[in-house]
Amino acid sequence: TITKFGTDSRYYLMVRGWLVQKVRGTDSRLQSQNSQSKREVLVTEVDALNQGIRAIDLE
């Protein structure tokens, strides 16, 4: 879904901006997290969001 809308020029800026904000928010939560298991989940989420950004940037 992200790739579908992110590669559409009408929605690109909105989708990319949303992804960047999600990465920043998740990264902030990651920095404040002490539990290793929760950190791993957040790292996975950040990686997935970054992959989404790369997918729409490299259309």
Side-chain angles (χ1 to χ4, degrees), residues 8-29:
D8 187 331
S9 62
R10 296 173 295 177
Y11 305 112
Y12 170 77
L13 286 176
M14 180 179 65
V15 171
R16 190 174 194 294
W18 173 75
L19 287 170
V20 168
Q21 291 302 314
K22 288 288 288 178
V23 167
R24 287 182 181 166
T26 306
D27 203 27
S28 176
R29 289 176 35 215

Side-chain angles (χ1 to χ4, degrees), residues 29-59:
R29 289 176 35 215
L30 176 62
Q31 299 302 320
S32 66
Q33 189 57 250
N34 293 329
S35 169
Q36 185 61 32
S37 62
K38 290 181 181 178
R39 287 182 64 82
E40 291 172 3
V41 170
L42 292 172
V43 166
T44 303
E45 187 175 339
V46 168
D47 289 344
L49 292 167
N50 283 326
Q51 281 183 325
I53 291 171
R54 283 195 307 271
I56 64 174
D57 282 350
L58 298 175
E59 176 191 2

